[in-house]
């Protein structure tokens, strides 16, 4: 999926860095291949450690490729720097390039939507990735890490929930995609999300280290059994039990609130799904981590028990190409046992909550079986590629209305791809193509 960058100033800034030779601040006595000596002592004290946890903090880090550089803009008040605990220390001047050795996340509140980057010339200092102010170039790959969440990004997510599935701290939702640019025949430049291999390795290491950490939140204790779980490639959940609510610490509880009906159109699905046999309380919950979209008007709620008071967003019914899309990150049941999906909005990562799981209102975003013949719906057309990741140079462009023969469906992470009769891959997203 392609998208257009919204900030011309950011593009001009990045171009200036690459073409005008902004001075890079380095430490003349240190090699970029060394793990810097710092107060951020890691759980692995070996000099060749590539990832770890900063002692006494809630920071988890991983090494980035040699020659990774953060280009700094020049805001009037400088670039903020942070210590090993994610606490702001001071500022450094902008209009420079800084060699970066590590990338990290910090679990403390207030550190959402940013990655920390460690300075080689002063390893006690970290800066936050912010595409308009701190522009991160990954090694010598020519790739840049996009922190805006534009397009359809890959997100690194950390959730903090109690025994009822309720958030006890705002989740960290951090876009970790890179992008590549393409210019069409009209001279219009678009950017395609994808995941740089080095960032994939670094963030996988951080994900694997998170369960080794004990992270305390006031008023709660970590769940005794499996206090930290990993769902999918880049979603981690810390589980807690309220100190005021005795429960079985080894079993996540269900919602205990009142199931107050909302009479607005947003909740017109509530009564129908309650009577649906496939949503009954004694049925197994569906698999987590899948993509769904809404075919009718639905609401997004703060809790699994839907009420007008806890509805945080309303999605009106849309045409097929504009339907709201969600990633299912978990599930829960209302007080009456009605199944809900815990989701995040694909187009707005800040929107997370619960939606109906009723198949009359939401269904798979991607085709699950082979329709044999499809027609391109997207007004921008669709590109085919040589691999299921849809990376690399597009092999062919198919305009809207084009009919295509499909010989197979191939799964790729949370998505599906169609294998065309010529062996090329295209997206099986129902907002882009339709069964003919």
């Amino acid at each position: 999926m392609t998208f257009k960058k919204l900030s011309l100033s950011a593009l001009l800034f990045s171009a200036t860095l690459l073409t005008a030779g902004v001075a890079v601040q380095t430490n003349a006595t240190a090699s970029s291949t060394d793990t810097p000596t710092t107060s951020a002592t890691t759980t692995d004290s070996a000099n060749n450690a590539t990832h770890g946890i900063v002692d006494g903090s809630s920071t988890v880090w991983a090494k980035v490729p040699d020659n990774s550089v953060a280009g700094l803009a020049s805001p009037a008040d400088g670039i903020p720097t942070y210590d090993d605990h994610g606490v702001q220390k001071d500022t450094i001047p902008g209009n420079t390039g800084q060699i970066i050795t590590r990338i990290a996340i910090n679990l403390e509140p207030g550190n959402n939507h940013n990655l920390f980057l460690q300075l080689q010339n002063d390893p006690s200092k970290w800066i936050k990735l912010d595409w308009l102010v701190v522009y991160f170039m990954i090694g010598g790959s020519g790739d840049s890490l996009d922190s805006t969440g534009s397009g359809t990004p890959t997100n690194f997510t950390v959730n903090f929930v109690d025994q009822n599935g309720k958030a006890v701290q705002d989740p960290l939702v951090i876009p970790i995609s890179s992008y590549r640019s393409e210019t069409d025949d009209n001279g219009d430049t678009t950017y395609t999300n994808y995941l740089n291999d080095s960032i994939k390795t670094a963030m996988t290491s951080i994900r694997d280290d998170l369960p080794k950490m004990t992270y305390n939140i006031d008023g709660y204790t970590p769940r005794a059994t499996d206090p930290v779980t990993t769902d999918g490639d880049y979603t981690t959940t810390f589980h807690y039990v309220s100190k005021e609510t005795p429960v079985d610490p080894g079993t996540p509880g269900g919602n205990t609130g009142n199931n107050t009906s909302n009479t607005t159109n947003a909740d017109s699905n509530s009564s129908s799904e309650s009577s649906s046999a496939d949503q009954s309380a004694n049925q197994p919950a569906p698999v987590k981590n899948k993509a769904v979209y809404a075919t009718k008007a639905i609401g997004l709620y703060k809790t699994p028990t839907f009420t007008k008071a806890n509805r945080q967003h309303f999605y009106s019914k849309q045409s097929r190409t504009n339907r709201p899309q969600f990633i299912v990150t978990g599930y829960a049941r209302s007080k009456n046992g009605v199944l809900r999906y815990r989701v995040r909005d694909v187009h707005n990562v800040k929107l997370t909550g619960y939606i109906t799981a009723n198949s009359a209102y939401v269904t798979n975003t991607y085709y699950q079986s082979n329709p044999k013949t499809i027609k391109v719906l997207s007004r921008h057309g669709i590109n085919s590629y040589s691999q299921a990741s849809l990376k690399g140079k597009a092999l062919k462009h198919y305009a809207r209305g084009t009919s295509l023969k499909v010989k197979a469906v191939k799964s790729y992470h949370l998505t599906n791809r169609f294998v065309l009769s010529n062996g090329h891959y295209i997206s099986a997203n129902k907002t882009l193509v339709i069964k003919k």
Side-chain angles (χ1 to χ4, degrees):
M1 183 174 183
T2 59
F3 60 95
K4 294 183 179 180
K5 285 290 177 187
L6 300 179
S7 173
L8 178 61
S9 62
L11 287 172
L12 292 175
F13 169 58
S14 63
T16 301
L17 289 175
L18 296 175
T19 60
V22 172
V24 175
Q25 300 296 319
T26 62
N27 185 339
T29 62
S31 166
S32 61
T33 60
D34 294 335
T35 300
T37 302
T38 171
S39 58
T41 306
T42 68
T43 54
D44 184 348
S45 59
N47 290 331
N48 62 350
T50 59
H51 57 90
I53 302 170
V54 177
D55 283 348
S57 79
S58 302
T59 299
V60 186
W61 65 271
K63 188 177 178 182
V64 294
D66 297 344
N67 302 316
S68 292
V69 176
L72 310 185
S74 52
D77 51 354
I79 306 294
T81 65
Y82 300 82
D83 65 14
D84 299 332
H85 300 268
V87 177
Q88 185 172 344
K89 295 180 62 176
D90 49 28
T91 61
I92 57 175
N95 198 33
T96 62
Q98 293 281 346
I99 296 291
I100 300 300
T101 53
R102 293 175 173 178
I103 194 168
I105 67 168
N106 181 282
L107 303 184
E108 299 291 340
N111 291 328
N112 294 357
H113 311 296
N114 286 97
L115 290 172
F116 288 85
L117 308 173
Q118 189 178 51
L119 305 183
Q120 184 194 51
N121 70 339
D122 189 346
S124 67
K125 293 182 179 180
W126 302 75
I127 55 177
K128 281 187 177 184
L129 178 63
D130 179 345
W131 206 74
L132 295 178
V133 179
V134 177
Y135 179 86
F136 183 54
M137 293 165 280
I138 309 164
S141 66
D143 294 346
S144 301
L145 193 58
D146 176 28
S147 66
T148 66
S150 302
T152 309
T154 298
N155 291 312
F156 189 96
T157 304
V158 185
N159 298 306
F160 310 88
V161 301
D162 67 7
Q163 68 274 10
N164 298 317
K166 180 181 178 181
V168 296
Q169 178 180 304
D170 288 342
L172 273 70
V173 183
I174 305 173
I176 56 173
S177 297
S178 303
Y179 61 85
R180 61 167 54 95
S181 62
E182 296 177 354
T183 303
D184 61 22
D185 294 338
N186 298 321
D188 193 21
T189 301
T190 58
Y191 296 81
T192 303
N193 286 119
Y194 73 106
L195 194 57
N196 175 277
D197 287 340
S198 297
I199 296 301
K200 182 187 298 184
T201 299
M203 300 312 295
T204 298
S205 296
I206 289 175
R207 179 205 65 191
D208 292 344
D209 281 339
L210 281 171
K212 303 173 186 177
M213 174 184 290
T214 299
Y215 178 65
N216 295 314
I217 296 178
D218 290 344
Y220 298 87
T221 58
R223 193 172 74 187
T225 303
D226 296 328
V228 186
T229 59
T230 299
D231 304 319
D233 290 337
Y234 302 107
T235 300
T236 301
T237 301
F238 284 75
H239 300 272
Y240 297 89
V241 176
S242 172
K243 292 180 179 179
E244 299 177 357
T245 307
V247 296
D248 177 4
T251 306
N255 183 276
T256 59
N258 294 324
N259 191 18
T260 304
S261 296
N262 179 3
T263 58
T264 67
N265 187 39
D267 281 331
S268 61
N269 58 341
S270 183
S271 59
S272 62
E273 65 182 347
S274 298
S275 60
S276 176
D278 64 346
Q279 306 301 330
S280 62
N282 59 359
Q283 292 293 317
V287 177
K288 295 181 185 179
N289 289 289
K290 67 175 183 178
V292 298
Y293 72 175
T295 57
K296 298 181 180 180
I298 64 169
L300 178 73
Y301 297 84
K302 295 179 181 178
T303 71
T305 298
F306 294 173
T307 68
K308 185 175 182 179
N310 70 32
R311 191 182 77 201
Q312 53 184 334
H313 194 75
F314 172 68
Y315 298 90
S316 59
K317 184 177 180 179
Q318 296 289 333
S319 62
R320 183 181 177 113
T321 57
N322 296 314
R323 286 173 179 169
Q325 301 179 48
F326 307 91
I327 298 299
V328 178
T329 60
Y331 60 89
R333 294 188 184 274
S334 69
K335 179 184 177 182
N336 292 344
V338 181
L339 185 66
R340 313 298 196 192
Y341 286 142
R342 185 175 74 241
V343 300
R344 68 172 180 270
D345 187 313
V346 165
H347 299 296
N348 186 345
V349 297
K350 294 182 179 180
L351 280 177
T352 61
Y354 296 88
I355 63 172
T356 176
N358 190 327
S359 58
Y361 291 82
V362 295
T363 188
N364 292 313
T365 305
Y366 293 85
Y367 281 100
Q368 305 298 304
S369 58
N370 186 353
K372 304 299 183 182
T373 305
I374 58 171
K375 183 173 71 173
V376 178
L377 279 182
S378 173
R379 65 187 180 91
H380 299 295
I382 196 169
N383 291 332
S384 65
Y385 297 84
S386 63
Q387 51 190 331
S389 63
L390 306 186
K391 295 180 180 179
K393 184 177 180 180
L395 300 178
K396 192 170 182 178
H397 179 79
Y398 298 99
R400 183 178 185 178
T402 304
S403 295
L404 299 170
K405 297 291 184 180
V406 177
K407 69 177 183 179
V409 179
K410 184 177 179 64
S411 177
Y412 184 79
H413 298 311
L414 301 184
T415 71
N416 282 341
R417 313 301 195 195
F418 283 141
V419 184
L420 302 181
S421 56
N422 60 6
H424 296 180
Y425 291 88
I426 65 170
S427 173
N429 190 310
K430 294 177 184 176
T431 67
L432 302 177
V433 296
I434 189 171
K435 179 180 177 180
K436 189 174 179 181

